[in-house]
Amino acid sequence: MAQVNPTVGDLEGNCGIVVDYARRAAEAGAHLAVFPEMVVTGYPVEDLALRASFAEASIEAVRGLARRLEDEGLGGLPVVVGFLNRSADAAPRYGRPAGAPQNALALLHGGEVRVVSAKHHLPNYGVFDEFRNFVPGETLPVVRLHGVDVALVICEDLWQEGGPVAAVRDAGAGLLVVLNGSPYERDKDDERLALCQRRAREAGAALAYVNMVGGQDELVFDGDSLIVDAGGELLARGPQFEETLLVTDLELPVAAPAEGAPVPVSGIRIERHVLSEEPVAAYEPLPGRVEPRLDDLAEVYAALVTGTRDYVRKNRFGSVVLGLSGGIDSALTATIAVDALGPERVNVVLMPSRYSSDHSVSDAEELVKRQGVNARTVAVGPMVDAFEAAVEIDGLAAENLQARVRGQLLMTLSNQHGHLVLTTGNKSELATGYSTLYGDSAGGYAPIKDAWKTLVWELSKWRNAEAARRGEVPPIPENSISKPPSAELRPGQLDTDSLPDYEVLDALLDDYVGTDLGRAELVAAGHDAALVDRVIRMVDRAEYKRRQYPPGPKISRRNFGRDRRLPITNRWTAPAGLA
Amino acid sequence: MAQVNPTVGDLEGNCGIVVDYARRAAEAGAHLAVFPEMVVTGYPVEDLALRASFAEASIEAVRGLARRLEDEGLGGLPVVVGFLNRSADAAPRYGRPAGAPQNALALLHGGEVRVVSAKHHLPNYGVFDEFRNFVPGETLPVVRLHGVDVALVICEDLWQEGGPVAAVRDAGAGLLVVLNGSPYERDKDDERLALCQRRAREAGAALAYVNMVGGQDELVFDGDSLIVDAGGELLARGPQFEETLLVTDLELPVAAPAEGAPVPVSGIRIERHVLSEEPVAAYEPLPGRVEPRLDDLAEVYAALVTGTRDYVRKNRFGSVVLGLSGGIDSALTATIAVDALGPERVNVVLMPSRYSSDHSVSDAEELVKRQGVNARTVAVGPMVDAFEAAVEIDGLAAENLQARVRGQLLMTLSNQHGHLVLTTGNKSELATGYSTLYGDSAGGYAPIKDAWKTLVWELSKWRNAEAARRGEVPPIPENSISKPPSAELRPGQLDTDSLPDYEVLDALLDDYVGTDLGRAELVAAGHDAALVDRVIRMVDRAEYKRRQYPPGPKISRRNFGRDRRLPITNRWTAPAGLA
């Protein structure tokens, strides 16, 4: 199982990854090499699936990949890859995309594409729009390899009842291979193993689950590829958030001689293919490699680092820049950036104003000293003064002005030096609109946009403890963690002037945004009724700001990316106007 | 037919509109009053459909509406409304949203909800995500009213073959009523009439098509409600982009006596209801009212004005502010704003820099004089100087700086005075990324973001000609239309320094973005190969900017809103990094 990190659209680069890992698999003596869902195109391709020229290029890339594997002496190793295909026989039908694009898999062998099949269950919730982009497949390919019947399916087909996985037992397969592009969500790895164990027992077959790793826009794939035997026992498991080749020896049952096509099961047509009947001679198996799981906070932190590293790399930036305020959000963002890219590629700007406290500057300087990032200080006073001389302002407009001068300074440095601007807002801010459009919300990528403020503190403490555990200097100044949060946009301002305590707020926000409870349910869940009304209104009114927020790594089931699609103009719970 | 303008989420306000128009219909002697698709909730509700509390509130609102109509003496008039329902009997099934939300219609009569049915064909392309948000209906309600059988369906069911409309002839209906939330697209009204005529002939029934009007986020509904007889002859047609009550007398066949439930046709169950058997006594019919269609440019212009007016009103802003450069984009945007809101609610800011030409100021001043908007001038020099003193910049960074100072000035005035900022970019700029993030792309609503630059000129000329035709002063200074376009961010700069001629560029962009042709097809269509490569790269690289662009009215089949979902990280045709 090749747990790899493709890039959307980079057909040539992705095929290069496949050849590289296929060679390593062959050198390790593998009899079958499997890659993740849509590894050839990267995943998810979104509406690129609807572009005929892209589908044709994907199909041609897979044919070329088969030839290249053969040319490089790897044609004897069956290689299974995911790609974008077009169904040859799907009739145009209402509700299905024109040109019949399919989320497909191909088995390559002997220089040829020997088997092609497509995903049956198409997820169409959360971040997924697969009914929009794909036509479902209706077959279960079963490939006889060294006398063992191997069934091949894709991702969501494993999660849903019925469909091709339900046909695996009837097909008599000894091994079920599942290609995945399964994005990270907190605690999902626990679910994933339990599901694989259940499906293996249902199918009466060993199950090999191969997932991709790495970041793609707002998604992060966590790897966590695994193999269980037909009884559900865990035999091998890859690391999280790292590329790996997971070579596992399995003892698999020899299949009965191939028969004619069996009766279709649950609307799925079983398609049998024979590559080889001769069993592999007995040999001493390798011990199964089972990598340990990360703890909850370690896992979340790794997702944020992975998302940041890949967004920077895949969009060909060499460096990042961010504003460092001395507060916890920018301190954690800087630390993630350093862990993702190294301190020499991280540039921070201290931008004190007349309202900045002494500790905000000293806490920021302390972080710079601990982490060794590139730092400069630009006082925003002269620019703020220039605006205030040009237009009459006060109150909120004056507060926002400072935030925008800072955002503009960062964008200017980005344009001048080619740095990607990292945005430092957290999910509690995004939810409530406690941010300035084009000010602190400006930038290219927002590493902690899916982390509630309370999680920001937890992650910061965890990261410092982790450093201490390793005998390193804790990267985040303790004072940034312990001091009360403030935007410092007017004298003595604290977040708690405008917002409830974050423990209270985040619990309510998670029930409203994460669980989608309505007003009555929120009150019934124990939240204060007046606060419920106030927070619902804040969240709904901030939709226009969230639409213009940069992307960032998704870590929760429901974030503020494409998996939450709400109108801006909405008077359901937002009776007041936005401003 | 009540061609009205509801607001998403405003259940109380929308029900008020229904009562108001039902009263007017009753006063006009109507025997049946029909309203658009989802008039009770507004449309589209997007993921609000998935919120159980919202669906329950919609259902309760419809029950309350039935009672209120009865209480106000309107219970004798059958009223058909669209609303968000939940299917009572839909079993949970993969690929369908939990809680079984439905895009439904209800017939209210005698204080009660007498008939409920749901949309069968769910559009899931372009801006629509209805497979994600709704469970399909499987019935065709046929209501006997004064002895006439009236079949009721919703929107997409008319456009697709099969489904409930195919069952109308078998049901023997004399009238087919279609509730619509059909967004405006250029030239769609021609298609719409032809479709209604064809369906009426297929069904052997008169057809009443009622559509909503008004703007909702990026969509504009154009009304254009119409009635054709069973032979397809046009009997009545409402105006475009205006609320209206279209009262039409029809001579309809008396149905055969009600029988038992007929055999299901095309998977659809016909459900018969009887309100009244007694035919209406003969009376002198009103002549059918057929409003003229707008010309192509008049229609586009009306869509932009409608979208702008409703976005401002529905989000409870009282006024707008925009930067006026003397160029054509801001001149047209200001003119649209004045036509939408009146000059007293439009504020323009002239923000000359050291690179602004004399004519840019004088052309802007001329527009102010002609239209009577509120104007002020703020020279950006001191603010630009303050930034340039703080950080070393040159080249593109210096150009962007000026644009961002202007964007920031507008946002500051917005915060101080509560104006909505109008963004003045056109579709050619959005496509190529020829704009500054947080600079000229800052704002709350972008009236011309779906108009190619060539269309911006056409609309400007049309608007001036229209004024001349009416004997008014042409609102747009002729020099703004005729001079070569320039961003004026460096001395003597012209758009043609960085971009091809707009006639050439827009034709290529429309084939790439609008028609989704691939590279080879674009070259085969006659576009210069080198230019194709350059433009494709520009378009794909600008995806991150478009994600942060404000909403604006959709006028073309494919714009840069939610109907085009492409990855930011994409190396398919974008080999170079973004910056």
Side-chain angles (χ1 to χ4, degrees):
Chain A
M1 299 200 298
Q3 176 173 300
V4 296
N5 186 356
T7 300
V8 161
D10 187 9
L11 303 179
E12 194 183 328
N14 297 340
C15 287
I17 293 171
V18 172
V19 172
D20 180 32
Y21 275 75
R23 182 179 298 109
R24 291 172 53 190
E27 286 167 2
H31 303 107
L32 175 65
V34 294
F35 288 83
E37 181 175 13
M38 291 195 86
V39 68
V40 169
T41 54
Y43 180 81
V45 295
E46 304 191 54
D47 282 1
L48 275 180
L50 306 177
R51 196 168 292 171
S53 55
F54 184 62
E56 295 303 334
S58 165
I59 293 166
E60 198 38 63
V62 168
R63 290 189 189 126
L65 179 59
R67 288 191 298 271
R68 183 170 160 199
L69 288 166
E70 172 80 1
D71 291 348
E72 303 204 10
L74 302 166
L77 173 67
V79 171
V80 182
V81 295
F83 75 115
L84 176 64
N85 195 17
R86 303 181 79 177
S87 169
D89 46 60
R93 188 171 133 191
Y94 176 67
R96 294 188 171 181
Q102 291 194 306
N103 180 333
L105 62 82
L107 185 146
L108 316 180
H109 190 242
E112 290 181 355
V113 179
R114 293 289 301 269
V115 176
V116 167
S117 177
K119 190 174 184 176
H120 173 73
H121 281 123
L122 300 174
N124 205 55
Y125 52 81
V127 296
F128 302 108
D129 285 310
E130 296 207 352
F131 279 163
R132 172 187 177 94
N133 290 331
F134 302 120
V135 163
E138 307 291 349
T139 62
L140 172 69
V142 178
V143 181
R144 185 154 303 174
L145 174 62
H146 293 299
V148 176
D149 275 348
V150 180
L152 304 169
V153 306
I154 300 174
C155 201
E156 189 81 2
D157 287 334
L158 185 74
W159 291 81
Q160 301 306 325
E161 305 298 324
V165 170
V168 172
R169 180 178 280 275
D170 291 299
L175 174 64
L176 169 60
V177 168
V178 190
L179 282 65
N180 299 276
S182 177
Y184 173 70
E185 276 170 16
R186 225 171 151 179
D187 302 328
K188 197 178 188 179
D189 54 338
D190 309 329
E191 256 185 273
R192 195 179 270 154
L193 173 60
L195 176 73
C196 287
Q197 292 173 317
R198 179 155 67 85
R199 294 298 186 210
R201 286 189 288 259
E202 286 170 9
L207 190 155
Y209 176 103
V210 58
N211 195 17
M212 61 177 56
V213 280
Q216 164 67 35
D217 290 359
E218 299 224 299
L219 300 186
V220 182
F221 299 94
D222 57 333
D224 191 33
S225 302
L226 60 89
I227 298 187
V228 295
D229 69 15
E233 197 191 336
L234 181 65
L235 302 181
R237 197 166 195 179
Q240 293 169 275
F241 304 106
E242 284 175 34
E243 287 197 305
T244 200
L245 182 75
L246 193 64
V247 181
T248 309
D249 284 316
L250 298 173
E251 183 148 358
L252 297 170
V254 173
E259 293 158 23
V263 185
V265 181
S266 63
I268 296 294
R269 202 169 65 250
I270 296 171
E271 283 191 354
R272 294 192 181 274
H273 306 265
V274 177
L275 287 194
S276 53
E277 293 279 7
E278 188 61 30
V280 174
Y283 63 91
E284 189 61 32
L286 289 170
R289 171 178 150 217
V290 179
E291 300 273 350
R293 293 309 85 194
L294 299 172
D295 293 340
D296 178 42
L297 291 173
E299 190 181 273
V300 171
Y301 191 82
L304 303 183
V305 170
T306 302
T308 303
R309 181 188 294 129
D310 273 343
Y311 195 87
V312 170
R313 177 177 67 84
K314 292 182 178 180
N315 288 296
R316 300 189 199 260
F317 280 92
S319 54
V320 296
V321 64
L322 70 151
L324 201 66
S325 71
I328 191 60
D329 294 330
S330 60
L332 180 63
T333 303
T335 307
I336 290 166
V338 169
D339 286 337
L341 307 165
E344 66 288 353
R345 297 209 278 153
V346 176
N347 303 279
V348 300
V349 190
L350 284 65
M351 296 176 282
S353 79
R354 70 189 85 150
Y355 305 124
S356 297
S357 55
D358 292 342
H359 63 73
S360 70
V361 175
S362 61
D363 292 342
E365 285 170 345
E366 174 65 20
L367 183 141
V368 170
K369 200 179 84 184
R370 291 190 188 190
Q371 301 203 34
V373 295
N374 309 304
R376 67 189 292 173
T377 299
V378 182
V380 299
M383 289 155 279
V384 170
D385 292 345
F387 278 98
E388 292 191 340
V391 285
E392 69 302 335
I393 50 169
D394 55 21
L396 196 62
E399 294 184 33
N400 285 334
L401 173 62
Q402 299 165 66
R404 286 200 185 100
V405 165
R406 291 181 175 127
Q408 179 158 356
L409 274 169
L410 294 174
M411 291 304 296
T412 300
L413 291 169
S414 165
N415 288 153
Q416 185 70 26
H417 302 290
H419 311 311
L420 177 74
V421 175
L422 294 184
T423 311
T424 59
N426 63 62
K427 191 175 188 177
S428 309
E429 282 180 13
L430 254 85
T432 54
Y434 192 72
S435 67
T436 301
L437 199 57
Y438 317 134
D440 51 323
S441 67
Y445 193 73
I448 60 171
K449 77 179 272 197
D450 197 19
W452 299 123
K453 183 80 173 189
T454 43
L455 180 58
V456 170
W457 277 308
E458 283 184 85
L459 288 168
S460 301
K461 288 176 196 161
W462 172 86
R463 182 64 185 81
N464 271 5
E466 184 66 14
R469 196 181 60 76
R470 292 192 223 145
E472 296 165 4
V473 177
I476 302 174
E478 289 67 21
N479 198 41
S480 293
I481 300 177
S482 58
K483 68 186 175 187
S486 166
E488 296 198 334
L489 293 172
R490 60 171 188 266
Q493 183 180 30
L494 291 179
D495 287 14
T496 44
D497 300 344
S498 330
L499 296 174
D501 190 82
Y502 280 110
E503 296 290 338
V504 173
L505 178 65
D506 286 357
L508 171 53
L509 288 172
D510 198 56
D511 280 349
Y512 182 52
V513 175
T515 315
D516 215 15
L517 298 186
R519 184 190 180 282
E521 295 162 305
L522 291 167
V523 173
H527 300 290
D528 176 75
L531 185 63
V532 166
D533 287 337
R534 188 171 152 232
V535 166
I536 284 182
R537 199 175 306 119
M538 284 197 287
V539 172
D540 289 357
R541 283 177 61 171
E543 186 61 27
Y544 75 103
K545 282 191 187 174
R546 287 188 290 268
R547 290 260 190 118
Q548 297 194 42
Y549 215 86
K554 175 180 165 75
I555 56 172
S556 62
R557 187 137 300 181
R558 227 155 152 251
N559 74 355
F560 287 117
R562 289 202 180 180
D563 61 350
R564 190 175 183 276
R565 300 181 194 162
L566 291 171
I568 294 175
T569 306
N570 167 24
R571 297 221 188 138
W572 165 229
T573 50
L578 56 90
Chain B
M1 299 200 298
Q3 175 174 302
V4 296
N5 186 357
T7 300
V8 161
D10 188 9
L11 303 179
E12 193 183 330
N14 298 339
C15 287
I17 293 171
V18 172
V19 172
D20 180 31
Y21 275 75
R23 182 178 299 111
R24 290 172 52 189
E27 286 167 3
H31 302 106
L32 175 66
V34 293
F35 289 83
E37 181 176 14
M38 290 194 88
V39 68
V40 169
T41 54
Y43 181 80
V45 295
E46 305 190 55
D47 282 1
L48 275 180
L50 307 178
R51 195 168 293 171
S53 55
F54 185 61
E56 295 303 334
S58 166
I59 293 166
E60 196 40 60
V62 168
R63 290 189 189 128
L65 179 59
R67 289 191 297 269
R68 182 169 161 200
L69 288 166
E70 172 80 2
D71 291 348
E72 302 203 12
L74 301 165
L77 173 66
V79 171
V80 181
V81 295
F83 75 114
L84 175 65
N85 195 18
R86 303 180 79 178
S87 170
D89 47 59
R93 189 172 132 190
Y94 177 67
R96 294 189 170 179
Q102 291 195 307
N103 181 333
L105 62 80
L107 186 147
L108 316 180
H109 190 241
E112 289 180 357
V113 179
R114 293 290 300 268
V115 176
V116 168
S117 177
K119 191 174 185 177
H120 173 73
H121 281 124
L122 301 175
N124 205 54
Y125 51 81
V127 297
F128 301 109
D129 286 311
E130 296 207 353
F131 279 164
R132 173 188 176 93
N133 290 332
F134 301 120
V135 163
E138 307 291 348
T139 61
L140 172 68
V142 178
V143 180
R144 186 153 302 174
L145 176 60
H146 293 299
V148 175
D149 275 347
V150 180
L152 305 168
V153 305
I154 300 173
C155 201
E156 189 80 3
D157 287 333
L158 185 74
W159 292 81
Q160 302 305 324
E161 305 298 324
V165 170
V168 171
R169 179 178 282 274
D170 292 299
L175 174 64
L176 169 60
V177 168
V178 189
L179 281 64
N180 300 277
S182 178
Y184 173 69
E185 276 170 16
R186 227 171 147 178
D187 302 329
K188 197 178 188 179
D189 55 337
D190 308 330
E191 257 184 88
R192 196 179 270 153
L193 174 60
L195 175 73
C196 288
Q197 292 172 319
R198 180 156 66 86
R199 293 298 185 209
R201 286 190 290 259
E202 287 170 8
L207 190 155
Y209 176 104
V210 58
N211 195 17
M212 59 178 55
V213 280
Q216 165 67 33
D217 290 357
E218 299 224 299
L219 300 186
V220 182
F221 300 92
D222 59 331
D224 190 33
S225 302
L226 60 89
I227 298 187
V228 296
D229 70 16
E233 196 190 336
L234 181 65
L235 301 181
R237 197 167 195 179
Q240 293 169 276
F241 305 105
E242 282 175 33
E243 287 197 304
T244 199
L245 182 74
L246 193 63
V247 182
T248 309
D249 284 316
L250 298 173
E251 184 148 358
L252 297 170
V254 173
E259 290 158 25
V263 185
V265 181
S266 63
I268 296 294
R269 201 170 66 249
I270 296 170
E271 282 192 353
R272 294 191 181 275
H273 306 264
V274 177
L275 287 193
S276 54
E277 293 277 8
E278 188 61 30
V280 173
Y283 62 91
E284 190 61 31
L286 290 170
R289 171 180 150 214
V290 178
E291 300 274 348
R293 293 309 85 194
L294 299 171
D295 293 339
D296 178 43
L297 290 173
E299 190 180 273
V300 171
Y301 191 82
L304 303 182
V305 170
T306 302
T308 303
R309 182 188 295 130
D310 273 343
Y311 195 86
V312 170
R313 177 177 67 84
K314 292 183 178 181
N315 288 295
R316 300 190 200 260
F317 280 93
S319 53
V320 297
V321 64
L322 69 153
L324 201 66
S325 71
I328 191 60
D329 293 332
S330 60
L332 180 62
T333 304
T335 308
I336 290 166
V338 168
D339 286 337
L341 307 165
E344 67 287 354
R345 297 209 278 153
V346 177
N347 303 279
V348 300
V349 189
L350 285 64
M351 296 176 283
S353 78
R354 70 189 85 152
Y355 305 124
S356 297
S357 56
D358 292 343
H359 62 73
S360 69
V361 175
S362 61
D363 292 342
E365 285 170 345
E366 175 65 20
L367 183 141
V368 170
K369 201 179 82 182
R370 292 190 187 190
Q371 302 203 33
V373 296
N374 310 303
R376 66 189 292 173
T377 300
V378 182
V380 299
M383 288 155 279
V384 171
D385 292 346
F387 278 97
E388 292 191 338
V391 286
E392 70 302 338
I393 50 169
D394 55 20
L396 196 62
E399 294 184 31
N400 285 335
L401 173 63
Q402 298 165 67
R404 288 200 185 100
V405 165
R406 291 182 175 127
Q408 179 159 357
L409 275 169
L410 294 173
M411 291 304 296
T412 299
L413 291 169
S414 165
N415 287 152
Q416 185 70 25
H417 301 290
H419 311 312
L420 177 74
V421 175
L422 293 184
T423 310
T424 60
N426 63 62
K427 191 176 187 175
S428 309
E429 282 181 13
L430 254 84
T432 55
Y434 193 72
S435 66
T436 300
L437 198 58
Y438 317 133
D440 51 322
S441 67
Y445 192 73
I448 60 171
K449 76 179 274 197
D450 197 20
W452 299 122
K453 183 79 173 190
T454 44
L455 179 59
V456 169
W457 277 309
E458 283 183 86
L459 288 168
S460 300
K461 288 176 197 163
W462 172 86
R463 182 64 185 82
N464 272 5
E466 183 66 13
R469 197 180 61 75
R470 292 192 225 146
E472 296 166 3
V473 177
I476 301 173
E478 289 67 21
N479 198 41
S480 293
I481 301 177
S482 58
K483 68 186 174 187
S486 166
E488 296 197 335
L489 293 173
R490 59 173 188 267
Q493 182 182 31
L494 291 178
D495 287 13
T496 45
D497 301 343
S498 331
L499 296 174
D501 190 82
Y502 281 110
E503 295 290 338
V504 173
L505 178 66
D506 286 357
L508 171 53
L509 287 172
D510 199 55
D511 280 348
Y512 182 51
V513 175
T515 315
D516 214 14
L517 298 185
R519 184 189 180 282
E521 295 162 304
L522 291 167
V523 173
H527 300 290
D528 176 75
L531 186 63
V532 165
D533 287 336
R534 188 170 151 234
V535 166
I536 284 182
R537 200 174 305 119
M538 283 197 288
V539 172
D540 289 358
R541 284 177 61 172
E543 186 61 28
Y544 76 103
K545 281 192 188 174
R546 287 189 290 269
R547 289 260 190 119
Q548 297 195 39
Y549 214 86
K554 175 180 165 75
I555 56 172
S556 63
R557 187 136 300 181
R558 228 157 152 251
N559 74 355
F560 287 117
R562 288 203 180 180
D563 62 351
R564 189 175 182 276
R565 299 180 194 163
L566 290 171
I568 295 174
T569 305
N570 167 23
R571 297 221 188 137
W572 165 229
T573 49
L578 56 89

